[in-house]
Amino acid sequence: MKRLILILALGTIACGTLFAFQTGEQQLFSQAQIERLEKSIARSLESDIPDLQINGALTLHRFREIAPEYGWDRCIIPLMRILNGEENNPSARLIAAMALHELGSSRGDFAISRNAQFTDNPRVKRYCVILTRTRLLERGKLASPLPSLNP
């Protein structure tokens, strides 16, 4: 019995040591696979079907978490078209704004800030104001997210 416990303990230590000295994480997707995914997502974002646009933006959101170093530049313009289209489904516009904010491009930030000022939909306007203020806070250009409570 002691021998079995000793063997299990040594085996656990050996496995732990092997896993501790592995070199970094392996990428889940190759660069070519990510580029194909980006093309596919961009096609779904350019679709006229609102559900397909929403699914494309959510897919981009998920893959952005998996491959944060990738730029996803092909998706910026289709997301801006969804966000700027007053006739588009408000849910699609909100998700497009979220995806643009996560991409962090200056073009996307500009589209979000313009919608914060000029869109007719109050939900989209409120969400874009929040995203615009969040970006300003991230860049240190806004002093405080809350107004002063002192009279």
Side-chain angles (χ1 to χ4, degrees), residues 35-144:
E35 288 174 5
R36 283 194 304 266
L37 283 168
E38 182 184 27
K39 286 179 187 177
S40 176
I41 292 170
R43 278 194 303 268
S44 68
L45 292 172
E46 292 169 350
S47 169
D48 292 333
I49 304 168
D51 288 340
L52 196 56
Q53 292 174 342
I54 290 170
N55 286 335
L58 289 174
T59 304
L60 175 63
H61 168 72
R62 290 183 193 115
F63 278 106
R64 175 82 171 119
E65 292 174 355
I66 292 171
E69 71 282 346
Y70 190 73
W72 305 98
D73 292 332
R74 285 189 185 116
C75 297
I76 293 172
I77 299 297
L79 286 169
M80 288 173 56
R81 284 189 187 124
I82 294 169
L83 176 60
N84 293 334
E86 291 287 336
E87 71 283 351
N88 288 337
N89 181 347
S91 298
R93 294 179 69 196
L94 292 173
I95 294 171
M98 174 197 64
L100 280 171
H101 180 76
E102 289 176 353
L103 291 175
S105 74
S106 59
R107 295 180 293 173
D109 290 343
F110 180 75
I112 293 169
S113 68
R114 298 309 279 180
N115 274 279
Q117 293 176 340
F118 298 116
T119 189
D120 294 331
N121 187 303
R123 267 180 66 201
V124 174
K125 184 176 197 136
R126 185 174 52 247
Y127 191 63
C128 287
V129 166
I130 291 168
L131 292 178
T132 300
R133 288 185 181 200
T134 302
R135 182 67 74 213
L136 290 173
L137 281 171
E138 289 171 358
R139 293 183 180 159
K141 294 182 180 178
L142 190 62
S144 173

